[in-house]
Amino acid sequence: AQSVTQLGSHVSVSEGALVLLRCNYSSSVPPYLFWYVQYPNQGLQLLLKYTTGATLVKGINGFEAEFKKSETSFHLTKPSAHMSDAAEYFCAVSDRGYSGNTPLVFGKGTRLSVIA
Amino acid sequence: NAGVTQTPKFQVLKTGQSMTLQCAQDMNHEYMSWYRQDPGMGLRLIHYSVGAGITDQGEVPNGYNVSRSTTEDFPLRLLSAAPSQTSVYFCASSYSKGRGNIQYFGAGTRLSVL
């Protein structure tokens, strides 16, 4: 069974500082990995995804994540935090779905606060 | 292109009442799913469907019923609402194979059961 662990339910950074949100996954088959962002009172928006190929993936709003198979990790980073980055971030995993796509399994989320 | 549309946005029910949360998508996606979001719990899968006429249970199916008669619609039914079903509900859709399994989410339905 797949699972996702997000380390830290709340992360606080200063504006302009590095953002690092941690995600570790468990999967018995090669995974698809995702980061979604949720702004207050809104739905989920895809930030970036890893499916295959290059292990460093770039997403929207300057975020990127690196797939490290040996560490079963997919940490999300951004070099310089902006006030508008304050939101909740969810890491998710699914099977590659050779016979069809499978449901996403989500982590519990990390709330990012950005301090001026 | 509306994407995934959920109605209503807000709903208050009394214990024991029934209701249907609507979800419609216009992207011709085969795959649709329902999640509930609770504080500190992330999103948990309730039910999903890989195509019209095919549904399956997720992690937390009890108290919920689904059917999929068309590709576009995937309603979620609460037969007898309980306070434990107070939550935010999200519907999502994607292609059933490949395309990186990118799922598109609706804006959510906030449900309170008194």
Side-chain angles (χ1 to χ4, degrees):
Chain A
Q2 297 164 311
S3 65
V4 174
T5 302
Q6 291 185 239
L7 299 176
S9 59
H10 185 209
V11 171
S12 185
V13 300
S14 298
E15 192 174 21
L18 171 72
V19 175
L20 171 60
L21 304 183
R22 299 179 188 273
C23 172
N24 288 91
Y25 70 92
S26 171
S27 179
S28 58
V29 298
Y32 289 148
L33 293 161
F34 307 84
W35 276 99
Y36 281 84
V37 60
Q38 184 182 33
Y39 298 103
N41 298 315
Q42 294 188 25
L44 276 71
Q45 178 182 3
L46 181 67
L47 263 183
L48 50 79
K49 68 184 188 299
Y50 168 77
T51 55
T52 188
T55 57
L56 181 63
V57 293
K58 296 184 184 298
I60 61 172
N61 302 337
F63 284 93
E64 62 183 35
E66 186 171 11
F67 169 58
K68 291 187 176 181
K69 183 178 179 181
S70 61
E71 299 177 8
T72 60
S73 68
F74 191 56
H75 302 330
L76 181 70
T77 61
K78 182 174 180 177
S80 177
H82 192 273
M83 297 297 289
S84 61
D85 295 326
E88 187 142 20
Y89 293 80
F90 293 95
C91 182
V93 64
S94 78
D95 285 346
R96 287 200 169 273
Y98 295 110
S99 60
N101 287 332
T102 60
L104 296 183
V105 175
F106 284 87
K108 294 185 177 182
T110 297
R111 181 167 299 280
L112 176 67
S113 297
V114 182
I115 304 167
Chain B
N1 189 345
V4 179
T5 302
Q6 291 185 236
T7 55
K9 288 185 171 23
F10 303 93
Q11 184 70 49
V12 179
L13 292 178
K14 295 181 179 179
T15 297
Q17 287 184 316
S18 63
M19 80 159 295
T20 300
L21 280 63
Q22 302 290 346
C23 176
Q25 53 90 12
D26 61 0
M27 297 174 281
N28 204 30
H29 286 164
E30 303 93 351
Y31 190 102
M32 296 184 74
S33 53
W34 278 101
Y35 295 87
R36 60 177 290 173
Q37 181 181 22
D38 302 291
M41 300 294 290
L43 278 80
R44 294 180 292 171
L45 183 68
I46 304 172
H47 285 286
Y48 65 99
S49 169
V50 299
I54 306 170
T55 63
D56 206 347
Q57 296 182 350
E59 179 185 356
V60 288
N62 292 339
Y64 306 96
N65 199 4
V66 293
S67 60
R68 183 99 179 268
S69 56
T70 67
T71 300
E72 295 79 17
D73 301 298
F74 191 43
L76 179 72
R77 298 182 186 84
L78 283 70
L79 301 177
S80 178
S84 61
Q85 294 178 303
T86 293
S87 188
V88 181
Y89 292 85
F90 289 100
C91 179
S93 74
S94 69
Y95 292 104
S96 64
K97 291 186 179 181
R99 319 282 185 115
N101 196 15
I102 297 172
Q103 300 207 9
Y104 297 85
F105 284 81
T109 295
R110 283 161 178 74
L111 176 67
S112 292
V113 182
L114 306 178

